[in-house]
Amino acid sequence: MSRQLEGDWVRYWRDPHRPLEAMHAHFVRHTFHPHSHDAYSFAVTETGAQRFTCRGAGHTSAAGMVMAFNPDDPHDGESAVELGFTYRIMHIGPDVVRAVLDDVTDGRGALPLFDRPVVDDPVLARALRRLHPALVGDADPLVREERLTAAVEAMVRRNAAGARAGGARVLPPGAQARAARRARDLLVADHDRQLTAQELADAAGCSRFALYRAFRTEYGMAPSDFQRLLRLRRARALLVEGRPAAEAATVAGFADQAHFHRWFVRCFGVTPGAFSRAASRA
């Protein structure tokens, strides 16, 4: 976190391998000079309100609203309220957006154009709020790619003008079941490894997006959710054997014990420690 003007704070992250950046910030006194980015910029305002000028008009983004800037869109910005505003913004390079849309549409998509810098759309806001922590945290590559695809697709389908994403490719029922089963087999075999969405798609013989839809249809959850469930089951078995929670988390493939603890409670309703004590008494 970097400190700026009094009351202002910023956390910034950058992908070392591709044009993908994210910022979480709170600004009270900071004023943005007119500028632009060479990437698409998608943001969600969390608290307060920000006002800015873009494409010759004034706009205000209040809590829950989404901002969308095309590459090279000049804009400025400042707080519209006394207590400032907090927002999460992601800068996604055109090549990344194109790759996502090509995967979703089997190459039939085109780069989008956003003609409304501010939209009030809870679905988009939720997609961006889910994407941001996956980018800046220690999320598995599978989680990160699923949320990136979901956010970009939602932005284009719900807010783009002119060039829109074409229809998403859907596999026939038989091919869908086979693709999902192949991906499931790989997840079961390598649940403790950081698999990528592309590895799963290669194993399934289809695009990443087609696999995602097929897997959800066949198994009722995303591949990343199924991967996490397999890890939790493995960790439970290790706890029953008497292994410490930290060891169980590592062996099962979790990034750290805190991540393991959080998901164990979310899925099973008890802490790993409470589960271990009950298992030892049994």
Side-chain angles (χ1 to χ4, degrees), residues 10-188:
V10 176
R11 299 184 181 95
Y12 209 88
W13 170 90
R14 188 175 188 278
D15 191 309
H17 306 297
R18 54 183 175 171
L20 190 56
E21 302 176 25
M23 183 172 76
H24 188 199
H26 177 76
F27 292 126
V28 179
R29 300 173 58 193
H30 179 71
T31 299
F32 284 101
H33 188 77
H35 66 286
S36 65
H37 304 274
D38 58 358
Y40 288 96
S41 299
F42 304 134
V44 57
T45 303
E46 295 183 313
T47 65
Q50 175 184 182
R51 61 179 169 231
F52 61 94
T53 301
C54 181
R55 303 170 211 161
H59 306 274
T60 300
S61 177
M65 292 183 173
V66 171
M67 292 175 283
F69 300 116
N70 300 302
D72 301 318
D73 261 349
H75 57 280
D76 53 18
E78 64 180 358
S79 178
V81 295
E82 184 178 354
L83 296 179
F85 66 96
T86 307
Y87 76 141
R88 296 178 186 265
I89 186 167
M90 287 138 281
H91 306 291
I92 307 176
D95 289 346
V96 176
V97 172
R98 186 188 300 276
V100 169
L101 295 181
D102 282 349
D103 184 73
V104 170
T105 66
D106 197 26
R108 299 191 304 274
L111 284 175
L113 178 66
F114 299 97
D115 61 356
R116 292 182 296 163
V118 179
V119 293
D120 188 3
D121 190 325
V123 173
L124 295 183
R126 181 176 183 273
L128 293 175
R129 283 196 300 266
R130 284 173 53 81
L131 172 60
H132 192 279
L135 294 178
V136 304
D138 294 324
D140 276 299
L142 195 54
V143 174
R144 188 172 293 165
E145 290 305 313
E146 285 177 358
R147 294 187 182 181
L148 176 62
T149 298
V152 170
E153 188 209 8
M155 285 296 304
V156 172
R157 291 195 183 283
R158 300 175 68 89
N159 196 38
R164 293 182 177 270
R169 184 182 181 186
V170 179
L171 298 173
Q176 178 174 271
R178 288 191 296 272
R181 185 171 61 251
R182 291 175 188 142
R184 184 183 187 278
D185 289 344
L186 179 57
L187 287 167
V188 170

Side-chain angles (χ1 to χ4, degrees), residues 130 134 139-148 150 183-184 187 190-197 200 208 211-213 215-216 219-232 252-254 259 263 267:
R130 284 173 53 81
D140 276 299
L142 195 54
V143 174
R144 188 172 293 165
E145 290 305 313
E146 285 177 358
R147 294 187 182 181
L148 176 62
R184 184 183 187 278
L187 287 167
D190 291 344
H191 69 272
D192 57 344
R193 186 166 67 85
Q194 285 199 333
L195 292 165
T196 66
L200 283 183
R208 298 187 302 272
L211 170 62
Y212 177 82
R213 294 187 63 162
F215 202 95
R216 285 193 65 93
Y219 299 113
M221 63 181 70
S224 63
D225 292 329
F226 184 74
Q227 180 188 56
R228 188 186 306 110
L229 179 61
L230 292 172
R231 291 174 176 176
L232 287 170
F254 285 93
H259 187 226
W263 278 104
C267 289

